[in-house]
Amino acid sequence: MKRILYFILSLFLVVGLSSCNQEDDGNETTTLTLAHSLSQEHPVHIALEEFAKEVEEKTDGRYKVKIFPNGQLGSENESMEQILAGVLSMARVASPSLATYERGYDTFGLPYIFNDTQDYYNIMDSDEIRDFFMSSEDKGFLTLTYYDSGARSFYTKNKAIRTPDDLKGLKIRVQDMKSQTEMVNLLGGTPVAMGYGDVYTSLQTGIIDGTENNETALTIGGHGEIAKVYSKDEHAMIPDALVISSEIWEKIDAKDQEVILEAARNSTELHKKLWAESIKEARETAEKDMDVEFIDDIDKTPFIEKTKPLVEQYRKDYKEVDELLTTIEKVRSK
């Protein structure tokens, strides 16, 4: 499958910095390919379209960004392989998937790293995190910016999760991530790793009692038709990352690198507004049209205490996680 993808890419797509064309005015244009797995209606895609527009305008057409949504170029793992090979220029991926190449990204999959949305934005927009994003050039990629993918909370068919004890005996779907599985175990639930596409039917048939995600899953995923209690514990805030191939990046001159970085960060600011609107709309729809009850007055302290051993174990096992958590703590203390 990978060989077929590379073959199609080399023949059919205008890829990376090898794709240079002469415009009518004699200027050379380079097309940067950008892949992601989301739909064209998703706030991330809309933000990426603005990113592409700004890059083209501010480089006077020297660079154009061609976006391939809906997983057209393969999975996130396949996109990263193409990034590292310099075949694909850029991709939007979930940040923990980058831990394969840079262990520090495991940090973003851990529970209760951020206090709330404002704390998340304050830290993610800091110079220190931006330096971390740009520090993986020798690993084959750099992260230009991040996109919010929401605060993940527990929701079940009919039971509020106000304390860790409320999870006892419940089968909770989690992403296929070690940190998520261990988190639910520590909180007393039974983790069930499965793909997002299987969640609706699994809730419906009783294979699982609940799951965890942001509010849009209730409406877009239809989960609110079955799961009627959303307990806003906000145990994880996992950013998406816009990454670029180091091989591609090194061939862009410093002036245009700055333009691309600025455009990427501007797209994040746009995405914040779009995302906030999406969350607000999803909650209103879930409450009014799907009769979902939202539990907002949750004391996070017992959840944080229960999951501390997991965070400490990652700090012990991976010095990169320890370093990034220390950086986050320093940013927060400013």
Side-chain angles (χ1 to χ4, degrees):
M1 180 63 183
K2 294 170 189 171
R3 291 180 181 177
I4 293 172
L5 277 172
Y6 289 143
F7 179 75
I8 292 173
L9 280 167
S10 64
L11 292 181
F12 179 69
L13 301 178
V14 183
V15 178
L17 287 181
S18 62
S19 58
C20 297
N21 300 310
Q22 289 293 123
E23 297 290 290
D24 292 339
D25 58 9
N27 291 329
E28 193 176 73
T29 296
T30 297
T31 300
L32 303 172
T33 49
L34 194 167
H36 70 79
S37 59
L38 304 171
S39 74
Q40 288 159 286
E41 291 75 38
H42 197 284
V44 166
H45 181 82
I46 296 170
L48 288 172
E49 287 185 316
E50 288 301 308
F51 164 69
K53 181 179 178 182
E54 185 174 340
V55 168
E56 183 172 355
E57 288 179 351
K58 291 190 175 179
T59 62
D60 298 319
R62 291 189 301 278
Y63 288 93
K64 292 183 179 181
V65 178
K66 186 172 180 61
I67 304 172
F68 293 86
N70 298 307
Q72 293 177 47
L73 304 187
S75 67
E76 290 188 10
N77 286 340
E78 288 168 335
S79 291
M80 278 307 299
E81 289 177 5
Q82 295 166 37
I83 288 279
L84 298 178
V87 176
L88 180 66
S89 307
M90 291 181 282
R92 189 281 329 168
V93 298
S95 58
S97 67
L98 298 173
T100 301
Y101 316 102
E102 167 51 68
R103 273 295 171 190
Y105 281 92
D106 267 325
T107 306
F108 298 120
L110 295 174
Y112 302 104
I113 297 305
F114 303 103
N115 299 329
D116 51 37
T117 300
Q118 191 55 57
D119 180 59
Y120 171 76
Y121 285 153
N122 289 343
I123 290 167
M124 296 300 293
D125 292 330
S126 68
D127 289 338
E128 289 85 348
I129 294 298
R130 289 177 175 177
D131 288 343
F132 168 73
F133 283 162
M134 301 299 287
S135 67
S136 57
E137 188 167 2
D138 62 332
K139 308 291 175 59
F141 73 95
L142 305 95
T143 296
L144 298 175
T145 193
Y146 74 96
Y147 298 112
D148 191 355
S149 65
R152 303 181 72 93
S153 295
F154 294 111
Y155 53 99
T156 68
K157 290 182 178 181
N158 51 31
K159 184 178 182 180
I161 308 300
R162 295 181 181 275
T163 71
D165 285 343
D166 294 324
L167 283 164
K168 289 182 179 178
L170 296 185
K171 300 185 294 292
I172 303 296
R173 177 266 173 176
V174 294
Q175 301 172 91
D176 191 11
M177 294 169 52
K178 182 182 177 183
S179 59
Q180 300 295 288
T181 300
E182 293 183 358
M183 173 190 71
V184 171
N185 272 326
L186 286 169
L187 291 173
T190 301
V192 181
M194 68 171 62
Y196 178 79
D198 297 323
V199 173
Y200 185 95
T201 302
S202 296
L203 282 168
Q204 196 174 45
T205 58
I207 292 174
I208 56 174
D209 302 301
T211 181
E212 53 85 50
N213 212 321
N214 65 66
E215 294 89 333
T216 64
L218 297 171
T219 53
I220 296 174
H223 298 175
E225 296 172 8
I226 307 165
K228 298 300 180 181
V229 186
Y230 189 95
S231 304
K232 199 171 180 181
D233 69 295
E234 298 181 319
H235 52 259
M237 298 180 183
I238 303 175
D240 286 343
L242 176 60
V243 300
I244 188 168
S245 164
S246 297
E247 183 177 333
I248 301 297
W249 185 250
E250 290 166 3
K251 295 177 183 176
I252 301 173
D253 67 51
K255 180 180 177 182
D256 287 331
Q257 284 181 350
E258 287 303 314
V259 169
I260 292 169
L261 264 176
E262 182 181 16
R265 291 167 181 171
N266 287 343
S267 72
T268 294
E269 293 306 309
L270 170 62
H271 181 262
K272 288 180 187 178
K273 297 173 184 176
L274 296 173
W275 187 253
E277 292 169 3
S278 294
I279 293 296
K280 181 181 178 182
E281 181 181 336
R283 175 160 178 157
E284 289 175 352
T285 299
E287 285 181 315
K288 295 177 182 178
D289 300 339
M290 307 173 91
D291 296 321
V292 175
E293 178 187 7
F294 283 81
I295 310 298
D296 296 311
D297 58 340
I298 295 174
D299 180 6
K300 297 181 185 179
T301 304
F303 293 87
I304 294 170
E305 289 301 317
K306 285 277 188 179
T307 56
K308 265 186 178 178
L310 172 59
V311 177
E312 292 305 314
Q313 189 62 50
Y314 268 76
R315 297 191 85 144
K316 179 181 178 181
D317 291 344
Y318 307 113
K319 66 179 181 61
E320 297 90 346
V321 171
D322 182 53
E323 289 169 356
L324 188 55
L325 284 171
T326 299
T327 296
I328 288 172
E329 291 158 3
K330 287 181 179 177
V331 171
R332 183 179 289 124
S333 68
K334 286 184 178 179

